Amino acid sequence: MEYPKPKKVSHETKIHDQILTDDYFWMRNRESDDDVMKLLNAENDLFKTYLKNKGNLKETIFEELKSRELQTYETCPYPHDDYEYYERYEEGKDYPIHLRRHLKSGEVQVCLDENELAKGHDFLDVGAFDISPCHRYLIYTVDYNGDELYDLYILDLSTNKIVQEGPKKISYSPCWFNDSKTYAYIEMDENLRPYKIHVTDMENSFDKVVYTEDSGEYFLSLEETMDHQYILINVSGSSNNSVLYMKADASDLNPIEIFPKEDKIEYSVESDGDDFIVLTNKFHENFSLLRTPIMTPSYKDAKVIIEGTKENYLTNFNTFKDFMVLHYRTKGLNRFAILKDEKRIEASFPEDAYFVGGGDNANYETKVFRYEYSSLTTPTTTFDYDIESSESKKIHQKEVPGFDQSKYEVERTFAPSHDGAMVPMTIIKAKTTKKGDPNKCLLYGYGSYSMSIHPWFNRNIISLLDRGFVYAIGHIRGSSTLGRHWYENGKFLYKKNTFEDFYACGKFLINEGYTVKGKLGIMGGSAGGMLVGATINLDKENLIGAAVADVPFVDVLNTMLDDTLPLTKLEYEEWGNPNDKEYFDYMKSYCPYTNLEKREYPAVLAIGGLNDPRVTYWEPMKWTYKLRDLATDSRVKLLWTNMEAGHAGASGRFEAFKEVADIYTFLINELE
């Protein structure tokens, strides 16, 4: 295969008496250097040729993926005051139609048709769909190129006319006040950081900045408390935060801080009408649940509702008028408990590996908690938990045409890592796929920001399982699967544990006979792309046959040394600040781009998004070219860039299937 030949322009970065040399630094300058776009287009053409040479496999897989999606269906409706809201997908259409039904009259109304918004655009992301408290107005926000800058519109649902075209290029998530005419939104700075809270009255052209966060280490977000009494401003860093509140009646627009920022202390807040309910790691690394007066919040005098423990990692909570719901994780699996009248009622679940989480709960005064359950063999199922009877009622399950869960088996196991830590893994395969055979295998992972990849249902992987693949998820350090310590032992100066854990999972799959050397594929996206890059650098034994790095954060040093990028300062608390020599040296020791060397590598597919504000397009681009420069093998090193999208890839359900079909075609062929 003949690859495009980019120019090399030596660039030096001097820091800590060291010199970083980068021949491809210039690739970030697409506005001023035409060669960037020429190369990206040439790489996309090359990838299209590669896929075409594989016969009809891509088209076959695409049709399989599409066949598991009902062409026309409606989502499970959820009640919100006098209405129930839901979405409808129609045959041949990529995007949902948002509807509501009046509970008394039964009248159905179209609130928003995303297919109409998408006309004339290659990309669409509707960030917010926020109904006003009176249910007359709808705020929605739209991003048309994937850069995560949204334009705001207000639609009058009584006339179906736009009554205001609001601010442009803002954060995706505005928030209504209770008067249904005042709303808050977040302005972005020149580095695409959400930093300034505005409050606007849509009737009186009133606009006031109520809060500004000057530090690049914090991002802002907005939400309303479940009891509709307060608007919350979350000032969020990577390892600490603060929360401010305003009264939701808009009577006082001066935000009041609940607890000030403290190093390494995080908290989230809800209201139950009388008190603030606070989830925090102030007193235990696995978090505790507290109650404190709204007018005089205090950690010192707070009442402990649930104490933190080593066994249970408290992850979230919901407040309702007559009860609360506590979400937590035990031995890596999500659970929840109902807290009512000083009693704790545990919910139980039938499978050994699953995911459960809160569903659409819009009403504060209710006797029902809605939740969603799924597993690798159970499609997403919606339940209503009756608080009085302590019983769950199944009300909806997403239909997956042609799927027979009895054909597959799931196993939860543990792989020994380099330091003796036992890393959880969830594995699924067809019952006809036997251990000890030379099976192809895909190992997926992430391992950063405490985010856990749960064993939830993924209908796309059926196309791999039915071709004899084993599919595995490594629940590695850097996630919080086994609690807060699992995260802390995979960040900062312990980051290499993440990569070692993932590689240990791959070795386990080979040693235990799930797959064989050369037929192991690995995949991850964003920080999971860093995981892929660092892991193939570890793989001196050439166990890995193919690697997919989706929007991969692989140029760690150069990115973390550039504080004009949106996330850099925020992420000092995840990776460290390379201006500190200790962190610089450690990052340099694992940075996927920096540590490429002259040797054999697996087949690689790197995927980028041209408009990606999180992992810039040039990271996978530079990494691919340096890989080609140094690799001594003949395996393909491919680059594909979505020229109309950003970090999340293609928008629209069918376009997303096409991207999955591309990836699966690559894996099936390169793991032969």
Side-chain angles (χ1 to χ4, degrees):
M1 180 175 290
E2 186 173 347
Y3 298 118
K5 301 293 184 185
K7 64 191 176 189
K8 295 184 178 181
V9 180
S10 182
H11 179 276
E12 292 184 348
T13 299
K14 298 179 180 179
I15 184 170
H16 304 308
D17 298 322
Q18 299 183 48
I19 297 176
L20 298 177
T21 301
D22 185 2
D23 289 337
Y24 298 125
F25 194 88
W26 64 270
M27 290 180 175
R28 62 172 54 203
N29 301 321
R30 67 179 168 115
E31 289 82 7
S32 59
D33 195 323
D34 294 340
D35 283 355
V36 174
M37 295 302 292
K38 290 177 183 177
L39 284 167
L40 291 177
N41 285 315
E43 294 291 347
N44 283 357
D45 289 342
L46 182 68
F47 186 51
K48 289 177 185 176
T49 300
Y50 168 87
L51 294 171
K52 186 176 181 181
N53 290 339
K54 305 307 173 187
N56 295 323
L57 182 58
K58 173 186 173 178
E59 288 70 25
T60 300
I61 295 173
F62 173 70
E63 291 300 325
E64 290 174 6
L65 299 172
K66 196 166 71 167
S67 73
R68 296 187 202 104
E69 167 84 352
L70 288 175
Q71 294 299 294
T72 298
Y73 70 93
E74 293 179 352
T75 61
C76 182
Y78 65 91
H80 187 188
D81 297 333
D82 294 334
Y83 295 88
E84 60 179 11
Y85 288 82
Y86 59 103
E87 297 172 2
R88 181 170 68 219
Y89 287 85
E90 296 183 347
E91 185 171 358
K93 295 182 179 181
D94 258 315
Y95 299 96
I97 302 167
H98 299 263
L99 303 108
R100 68 179 180 185
R101 180 184 293 109
H102 196 276
L103 292 174
K104 291 182 179 179
S105 70
E107 180 184 356
V108 174
Q109 178 184 8
V110 173
C111 299
L112 189 69
D113 187 343
E114 292 190 22
N115 300 283
E116 292 298 316
L117 297 179
K119 286 181 178 178
H121 300 277
D122 294 316
F123 180 92
L124 171 74
D125 180 39
V126 173
F129 178 90
D130 194 8
I131 296 287
S132 66
C134 69
H135 291 266
R136 175 176 174 177
Y137 299 105
L138 165 67
I139 284 181
Y140 66 92
T141 57
V142 183
D143 168 17
Y144 281 120
N145 64 18
D147 62 4
E148 301 180 34
L149 295 173
Y150 292 81
D151 297 342
L152 183 149
Y153 299 87
I154 300 179
L155 182 67
D156 186 339
L157 295 174
S158 69
T159 63
N160 200 34
K161 295 185 183 299
I162 291 175
V163 294
Q164 185 176 94
E165 291 191 21
K168 310 293 185 184
K169 306 301 181 185
I170 64 171
S171 180
Y172 74 96
S173 181
C175 193
W176 284 107
F177 286 77
N178 289 343
D179 61 5
S180 294
K181 68 186 184 73
T182 308
Y183 64 92
Y185 69 91
I186 307 174
E187 180 184 345
M188 310 287 277
D189 70 10
E190 65 276 8
N191 294 328
L192 307 185
R193 180 178 66 88
Y195 84 115
K196 190 176 287 188
I197 304 290
H198 292 249
V199 175
T200 292
D201 183 327
M202 70 177 187
E203 294 180 356
N204 300 314
S205 301
F206 167 84
D207 187 274
K208 177 183 179 182
V209 175
V210 298
Y211 183 83
T212 301
E213 178 55 51
D214 294 321
S215 172
E217 296 183 36
Y218 296 91
F219 279 27
L220 302 181
S221 61
L222 286 164
E223 62 180 318
E224 183 187 20
T225 57
M226 190 68 189
D227 64 357
H228 311 297
Q229 297 302 303
Y230 302 99
I231 305 296
L232 302 179
I233 300 171
N234 191 7
V235 185
S236 181
S238 287
S239 64
N240 72 339
N241 74 302
S242 67
V243 179
L244 301 92
Y245 70 93
M246 296 179 287
K247 292 182 179 179
D249 62 6
S251 62
D252 186 351
L253 299 180
N254 295 304
I256 300 171
E257 189 172 51
I258 299 173
F259 298 123
K261 301 184 190 79
E262 293 184 62
D263 188 38
K264 311 300 183 187
I265 302 302
E266 301 173 32
Y267 68 98
S268 58
V269 174
E270 260 292 355
S271 165
D272 70 352
D274 299 316
D275 297 317
F276 282 135
I277 311 300
V278 181
L279 184 68
T280 179
N281 64 344
K282 173 81 171 177
F283 304 109
H284 196 283
E285 68 171 1
N286 277 344
F287 288 74
S288 308
L289 192 66
L290 315 174
R291 177 187 295 276
T292 187
I294 290 172
M295 300 308 296
T296 57
S298 165
Y299 280 132
K300 180 180 178 181
D301 299 323
K303 177 184 177 182
V304 177
I305 302 172
I306 301 291
E307 291 186 355
T309 67
K310 182 180 179 181
E311 293 75 24
N312 295 331
Y313 177 52
L314 309 187
T315 58
N316 195 11
F317 69 102
N318 307 103
T319 59
F320 300 90
K321 186 175 186 296
D322 297 319
F323 65 97
M324 288 191 288
V325 180
L326 177 69
H327 302 263
Y328 62 99
R329 198 171 297 144
T330 300
K331 296 180 180 178
L333 292 174
N334 283 30
R335 302 178 63 87
F336 71 81
I338 305 299
L339 308 179
K340 185 178 186 296
D341 299 330
E342 298 187 354
K343 295 180 181 179
R344 175 170 173 159
I345 305 167
E346 303 284 344
S348 60
F349 306 99
E351 297 177 89
D352 292 332
Y354 62 86
F355 172 76
V356 65
D360 290 315
N361 291 280
N363 290 330
Y364 180 62
E365 297 188 23
T366 179
K367 302 296 184 183
V368 170
F369 172 65
R370 176 161 294 185
Y371 68 92
E372 293 189 343
Y373 176 93
S374 74
S375 74
L376 288 174
T377 55
T378 304
T380 300
T381 309
T382 303
F383 291 87
D384 277 349
Y385 187 96
D386 187 285
I387 303 305
E388 302 296 337
S389 67
S390 300
E391 294 181 354
S392 290
K393 179 181 179 182
K394 177 181 173 180
I395 59 171
H396 183 269
Q397 184 174 67
K398 178 144 189 186
E399 185 178 346
V400 182
F403 174 65
D404 179 359
Q405 67 183 127
S406 69
K407 293 170 57 178
Y408 310 95
E409 56 189 8
V410 176
E411 179 183 356
R412 191 167 178 86
T413 188
F414 291 82
S417 194
H418 67 293
D419 58 357
M422 299 301 291
V423 182
M425 272 203 300
T426 309
I427 302 169
I428 182 172
K429 62 182 182 65
K431 291 180 179 178
T432 54
T433 300
K434 302 302 182 184
K435 287 175 65 175
D437 289 346
N439 307 309
K440 298 175 183 177
C441 177
L442 177 59
L443 171 63
Y444 189 88
Y446 187 76
S448 292
Y449 305 107
S450 85
M451 292 175 59
S452 297
I453 304 298
H454 300 289
W456 41 44
F457 187 75
N458 179 356
R459 62 186 170 183
N460 292 338
I461 63 172
I462 299 168
S463 288
L464 296 180
L465 300 177
D466 288 352
R467 287 176 170 82
F469 269 73
V470 174
Y471 181 81
I473 303 169
H475 306 290
I476 53 185
R477 279 176 284 188
S479 74
S480 58
T481 299
L482 295 183
R484 185 70 176 198
H485 78 284
W486 202 243
Y487 168 47
E488 297 292 345
N489 279 287
K491 64 181 293 193
F492 283 146
L493 301 175
Y494 300 99
K495 189 64 208 170
K496 290 182 186 178
N497 286 336
T498 302
F499 317 134
E500 294 282 3
D501 286 358
F502 197 57
Y503 193 47
C505 289
K507 284 185 174 181
F508 179 90
L509 291 165
I510 293 170
N511 293 339
E512 296 297 314
Y514 292 95
T515 187
V516 295
K517 177 180 178 179
K519 290 187 178 290
L520 173 66
I522 62 172
M523 182 175 174
S526 194
M530 175 207 284
L531 173 69
V532 168
T535 303
I536 65 172
N537 286 346
L538 285 178
D539 184 26
K540 305 297 176 62
E541 303 171 68
N542 296 318
L543 303 180
I544 301 167
V548 178
D550 189 9
V551 290
F553 176 38
V554 283
D555 191 15
V556 179
L557 275 182
N558 282 314
T559 293
M560 293 303 296
L561 286 167
D562 184 355
D563 63 12
T564 67
L565 295 172
L567 298 179
T568 296
K569 289 183 178 179
L570 175 72
E571 298 199 340
Y572 287 160
E573 289 299 316
E574 180 72 21
W575 319 106
N577 185 341
N579 295 296
D580 179 324
K581 188 175 186 303
E582 182 181 23
Y583 285 107
F584 174 87
D585 289 341
Y586 191 75
M587 286 183 199
K588 187 179 179 183
S589 72
Y590 70 73
C591 172
Y593 184 70
T594 303
N595 286 282
L596 289 170
E597 57 188 15
K598 201 170 187 64
R599 66 172 181 85
E600 291 187 8
Y601 284 94
V604 172
L605 172 60
I607 302 170
L610 187 65
N611 302 318
D612 190 345
R614 297 173 182 257
V615 178
T616 47
Y617 71 87
W618 62 76
E619 292 211 26
M621 186 182 188
K622 292 168 55 179
W623 182 62
T624 301
Y625 285 119
K626 191 172 180 181
L627 257 173
R628 291 175 183 169
D629 288 342
L630 295 172
T632 60
D633 59 89
S634 59
R635 300 181 186 94
V636 294
K637 309 291 183 287
L638 297 166
L639 171 68
W640 184 78
T641 305
N642 190 321
M643 308 298 266
E644 287 86 33
H647 198 64
S651 66
R653 53 178 177 164
F654 301 121
E655 289 302 312
F657 289 154
K658 290 176 183 176
E659 287 194 357
V660 175
D662 289 349
I663 292 169
Y664 286 3
T665 299
F666 168 81
L667 287 168
I668 291 165
N669 277 281
E670 298 306 324
L671 293 176
E672 285 292 354

